[in-house]
Amino acid sequence: MSHTIYTCLRQLRDEADITQAELAKKVKTSRQTICAMEKGDYIPSLKLALQVAGVFKRPVESVFHLDKRKCG
């Protein structure tokens, strides 16, 4: 069983024209945490995942998912 959480964060950030640091500030975490989430090296808490999804005004399941499906 894989414990990787895949994310569309990079794509969403690019579309919104915000940096990792700007996103981190909005959700009160570090830029390194955002970077690790984008790489799939960090599984966010439910609270953090909901906060990140809220920044992009998206359902959490459209930002984070369990399979390697493409973002879009």
Side-chain angles (χ1 to χ4, degrees), residues 11-12 15 50 52-63 72:
Q11 178 183 331
L12 292 169
E15 290 171 5
L50 289 167
V52 169
V55 168
F56 299 107
K57 296 178 176 46
R58 301 273 186 113
V60 72
E61 63 272 12
S62 74
V63 180

Side-chain angles (χ1 to χ4, degrees), residues 42-56:
Y42 179 79
I43 298 174
S45 67
L46 177 57
K47 180 180 178 182
L48 181 55
L50 289 167
Q51 289 172 320
V52 169
V55 168
F56 299 107

Side-chain angles (χ1 to χ4, degrees), residues 21-54:
E22 291 167 334
L23 178 57
K25 186 174 182 179
K26 289 177 184 282
V27 298
K28 297 181 175 67
T29 194
S30 69
R31 184 202 57 78
Q32 291 84 354
T33 297
I34 300 299
C35 180
M37 282 193 288
E38 286 184 5
K39 290 181 182 179
D41 293 339
Y42 179 79
I43 298 174
S45 67
L46 177 57
K47 180 180 178 182
L48 181 55
L50 289 167
Q51 289 172 320
V52 169

